[in-house]
Amino acid sequence: MTITGGCVCGSLRYATQDPPQLAGKCYCRDCQRETGTGHMTFVVFPAAGLAITGEAKDYVRQGDSGSEVVRTFCPSCGSTIFGRPAMLGDVVIVRAGTLDDPSALDMGFATYASRAHPWDAPPAGLTTFDTIPPGV
Ligand SMILES: [Zn+2]
Ligand SMILES: [Zn+2]
């Protein structure tokens, strides 16, 4: 099955044949600033299988973990499509809201839950980690 998605204006699109590896929510301060909200909901795919069409721009910054995170966005509308934290290797952390069909995602866990605000707290029942899950 092909999974597709893209930015707000539609000029940056992506497609993959791979099933999602996992999904979750990140409450780190960079994700709060990137989204302009309290957290970023993500779905993880193998990087090798993700095909991109349209112009994309990268922003590189050292994340809370101390390793580099590349955030890829549409230069026309500014939507961030995915991030690639160096520490996680060959995966892309796709912003779940960019999926053409974001309706059915199985939430795995929340990272950096210690940074969450009362007005956007992790949902009850979701496994949370203060920073990143141990062993990552
Ligand atoms: Zn766009
Ligand atoms: Zn984050």
Side-chain angles (χ1 to χ4, degrees):
M1 190 181 84
T2 305
I3 296 172
T4 56
C7 67
V8 171
C9 77
S11 62
L12 176 52
R13 299 281 305 162
Y14 62 84
T16 182
Q17 305 291 330
D18 298 315
Q21 293 179 327
L22 58 91
K25 297 166 180 288
C26 184
Y27 291 81
C28 83
R29 291 291 289 132
D30 281 358
C31 285
Q32 291 175 7
R33 289 194 170 95
E34 177 201 306
T35 60
T37 62
H39 73 277
M40 183 271 290
T41 305
F42 60 83
V43 54
V44 180
F45 294 100
L50 195 86
I52 302 166
T53 54
E55 197 186 342
K57 200 162 183 221
D58 287 345
Y59 176 73
V60 185
R61 178 179 149 84
Q62 190 176 326
D64 264 353
S65 63
S67 85
E68 266 189 3
V69 180
V70 181
R71 292 166 191 264
T72 300
F73 61 95
C74 170
S76 301
C77 70
S79 313
T80 302
I81 301 298
F82 55 79
R84 283 167 291 160
M87 66 184 300
L88 295 183
D90 193 28
V91 295
V92 284
I93 313 295
V94 170
R95 281 38 180 164
T98 66
L99 292 166
D100 288 337
D101 180 12
S103 60
L105 285 177
D106 199 9
M107 283 299 118
F109 53 81
T111 56
Y112 288 98
S114 60
R115 314 279 208 278
H117 305 292
W119 44 264
D120 193 12
L126 187 67
T127 302
T128 60
F129 297 96
D130 281 352
T131 58
I132 55 176
V136 169

